[in-house]
Amino acid sequence: MIVLVPDSQEDWLRQSQQELSLRYCGYWASLRGLPPTQNQNTVTVQIPIQNIFNTDALKTLMQRIESGELL
């Protein structure tokens, strides 16, 4: 998962007894099936912008894992 975060951590994460809130956006991608790399410094991964990590995506991913599907 990739998470876009602001420069200041205070602008990103808010926590209280009532909620845990992460601001900005997260995206997910499965690395399954990608070829191994020998590069130990940087690796570029293409993540489709429609793969937003939100509650619906989390539910779907968990259902797929539960049913034995590959991501």
Side-chain angles (χ1 to χ4, degrees):
M1 184 166 115
I2 302 295
V3 179
L4 303 177
V5 297
D7 292 333
S8 171
Q9 183 178 355
E10 291 79 28
D11 293 334
W12 173 51
L13 175 66
R14 295 177 195 237
Q15 183 272 329
S16 71
Q17 290 182 335
Q18 289 78 32
E19 68 180 345
L20 174 63
S21 176
L22 299 174
R23 298 184 64 220
Y24 289 76
C25 195
Y27 300 91
W28 70 271
S30 174
L31 302 180
R32 182 179 296 277
L34 292 180
T37 180
Q38 297 301 314
N39 188 343
Q40 298 295 311
N41 296 316
T42 62
V43 176
T44 299
V45 177
Q46 300 294 321
I47 299 180
I49 197 156
Q50 67 266 22
N51 284 13
I52 294 175
F53 189 75
N54 57 21
T55 54
D56 290 335
L58 179 58
K59 289 177 190 175
T60 299
L61 291 170
M62 292 179 76
Q63 289 169 346
R64 288 175 64 185
I65 291 168
E66 181 182 35
S67 66
E69 292 181 52
L70 300 178
L71 301 180

